[in-house]
Amino acid sequence: MTPLLDKFRQLADARDALMQLSQDPFRVTIERILSPTEARVNGRPMILAGTNNYLGLTFDPQCIEAAVQAVQEQGTGTTGSRMANGSFSGHLALEQELAEFFGRRWSNVFSTGYQANLGIIAALTGQGDVILIDADCHASIYDGCRMSGAEVIRFRHNDVADLYKRLRRLGKRCANTLIIVEGLYSMLGDRAALAEIAAAKRAYGAYLLVDEAHSLGVLGERGRGLSEEVGVEDSIDFIVGTFSKSLGATGGFCVSDHPEVDLARYVSRPYIFTASPCPSVIASTRVALRKLRTEPALRVRLWDNARRLYDELKGLGFRLGPDPGPIIAARFGQKEETIAFWNGLLQQGVYVNMILPPAAPDGGSLLRCSVSAAHTPDQIDRICGAFRSVKAALEV
Ligand code: PMP
């Protein structure tokens, strides 16, 4: 190998070691997707319990119909940037609908949630500015920070005292500071201490961005996320979210009352230098957003399922995140034990996400379930049954 490629040697060794224990967990192929909660994997039927499909809308007939119609009328792709030929009336209509839904003046649609974080963080902050970031934030937030060139300071996960300490130290620089947290954290499903964080932001005159990727459609009376649930929307400057979870498509957005979110279109590289979302994606997302607004029963079903699975797994003795919710993560000690458990679940016909070091918080390993409104009571029972029998077989 050349020096350029040498660094892959370590990666190849790590993968070889993993393959001694398991099929490659990062290359699971859905051979056939049958519904929001079922697929064929490795030739066998599988209950999907790790998909982020919180409202189960990926097979919703009206979302599908809108997508099909958009393909027929507008073609398969836009083949261009939002800044050039890639802004169709659907993109603008969706921006308008998102702004209305959140009660904000400005809204900006990106091609993915990842790019929404990159694009908005890097546009809002630059050299001389400061970003105060919760240590457990998603990789897209970290990458946005890096792209911005701002000084990045991490505070301990959900530790408001640590946040205050760092704001105090920043003094006058607080006016140039953007605090970034998530609504529901993607790994353990725990909630930001948002009331206290919003108070800290107000006290020091900083700005606050909340990534509601996992809380949109899940929390709040109207499904607007943790900011709504906690009643602090007035103190949140920027809300970022994605279409790839409860809205069942791909894409991302930022809403705000600050007009700079609109001006960001002229400088945001992840907005400018990529093709805009396909018309079909925009069309299904618009219908999904309408359903999220008008069908609160979806949220009720999601929460019924989430509480049941959380209580059952807790009863079986699994170490879970602090709050019941649509993300239910069981913590494991040894990587080998986690891998064996994950394979055991697959053999029982249940797919969950496996998170290995260093991706999980505190260097541990996780088996992460995500619950859907589309899971039937029988499927929840079968997921619990699989956890029970693999636990008994492995004696963990
Ligand atoms: N933010 C958070 C908190 C996420 O968990 C994710 C995706 N897992 C993203 C942003 C990126 O979203 P997308 O998949 O739409 O790029």
Side-chain angles (χ1 to χ4, degrees):
M1 279 206 194
T2 63
L4 177 72
L5 302 179
D6 271 354
K7 51 186 161 303
F8 282 90
R9 170 57 47 209
Q10 217 183 349
L11 191 60
D13 291 347
R15 188 188 55 182
D16 291 348
L18 183 61
M19 300 291 273
Q20 301 292 312
L21 302 169
S22 169
Q23 61 166 305
D24 188 342
F26 308 113
R27 289 199 175 188
V28 170
T29 304
I30 308 263
E31 288 143 12
R32 184 128 190 258
I33 182 90
L34 303 167
S35 78
T37 57
E38 294 155 304
R40 282 194 86 76
V41 178
N42 296 342
R44 71 169 74 203
M46 200 67 65
I47 298 175
L48 299 174
T51 62
N52 308 309
N53 200 348
Y54 300 130
L55 301 184
L57 290 175
T58 48
F59 279 77
D60 178 86
Q62 287 168 317
C63 291
I64 291 176
E65 194 188 319
V68 169
Q69 196 181 340
V71 169
Q72 282 166 344
E73 289 174 3
Q74 300 172 55
T76 51
T78 66
T79 70
S81 157
R82 290 295 312 274
M83 204 183 209
N85 59 302
S87 276
F88 289 14
S89 57
H91 297 85
L92 299 189
L94 177 55
E95 283 175 345
Q96 181 75 38
E97 286 154 10
L98 283 164
E100 269 165 29
F101 173 61
F102 282 97
R104 303 282 178 150
R105 276 203 285 282
W106 306 102
S107 157
N108 214 339
V109 160
F110 294 80
S111 300
T112 65
Y114 179 85
Q115 284 160 298
N117 270 328
L118 243 57
I120 219 67
I121 295 169
L124 290 172
T125 57
Q127 267 185 11
D129 299 325
V130 179
I131 304 175
L132 272 175
I133 177 179
D134 184 289
D136 278 7
C137 275
H138 187 257
S140 56
I141 297 174
Y142 275 95
D143 291 356
C145 290
R146 201 184 294 176
M147 195 175 194
S148 76
E151 184 184 344
V152 181
I153 303 173
R154 287 191 304 175
F155 60 95
R156 279 196 297 275
H157 175 52
N158 237 353
D159 185 334
V160 180
D162 195 31
L163 173 63
Y164 267 103
K165 188 171 86 190
R166 289 166 195 282
L167 283 166
R168 218 174 297 128
R169 277 192 202 148
L170 283 169
K172 281 200 181 109
R173 294 184 76 199
C174 284
N176 278 50
T177 296
L178 178 66
I179 302 168
I180 307 183
V181 299
E182 292 178 24
L184 285 181
Y185 282 88
S186 57
M187 289 292 128
L188 291 173
D190 53 328
R191 299 167 182 220
L194 204 53
E196 294 87 341
I197 292 167
K201 162 240 138 111
R202 288 194 304 267
Y204 282 87
Y207 291 84
L208 177 57
L209 182 154
V210 182
D211 181 342
E212 299 269 22
H214 294 274
S215 26
L216 169 66
V218 169
L219 293 176
E221 204 183 323
R222 282 159 290 195
R224 299 198 317 204
L226 184 67
S227 316
E228 183 189 19
E229 173 120 343
V230 175
V232 293
E233 285 176 296
D234 284 354
S235 300
I236 315 297
D237 297 281
F238 309 100
I239 289 183
V240 170
T242 171
F243 307 151
S244 70
K245 305 186 193 305
S246 49
L247 296 173
T250 53
F253 67 90
C254 176
V255 293
S256 176
D257 283 330
H258 295 289
E260 288 73 14
V261 159
D262 194 48
L263 285 168
R265 294 179 204 273
Y266 298 96
V267 291
S268 175
R269 298 170 71 85
Y271 177 86
I272 298 168
F273 294 106
T274 195
S276 64
C278 300
S280 55
V281 163
I282 296 294
S284 78
T285 301
R286 290 180 64 193
V287 177
L289 181 63
R290 195 180 74 216
K291 289 188 166 261
L292 186 159
R293 298 175 85 148
T294 57
E295 297 183 21
L298 289 171
R299 206 148 49 248
V300 173
R301 276 216 300 281
L302 166 65
W303 275 97
D304 284 349
N305 285 339
R307 284 196 198 93
R308 266 195 57 211
L309 186 60
Y310 187 90
D311 291 347
E312 290 270 345
L313 294 186
K314 192 144 202 147
L316 289 172
F318 288 99
R319 288 186 296 133
L320 306 180
D323 307 309
I327 299 168
I328 300 173
R331 296 173 194 249
F332 286 79
Q334 295 299 317
K335 185 166 119 182
E336 291 71 17
E337 181 186 274
T338 320
I339 293 170
F341 207 105
W342 180 79
N343 277 288
L345 288 175
L346 277 189
Q347 274 155 23
Q348 297 279 326
V350 172
Y351 171 82
V352 302
N353 302 126
M354 177 162 63
I355 324 283
L356 298 176
D362 306 328
S365 304
L366 299 174
L367 292 183
R368 174 187 180 278
C369 306
S370 52
V371 182
S372 173
H375 281 124
T376 63
D378 176 57
Q379 287 173 331
I380 299 288
D381 284 345
R382 280 156 61 200
I383 297 166
C384 297
F387 269 89
R388 189 181 304 113
S389 66
V390 176
K391 186 174 195 292
L394 295 179
E395 294 175 353
V396 293

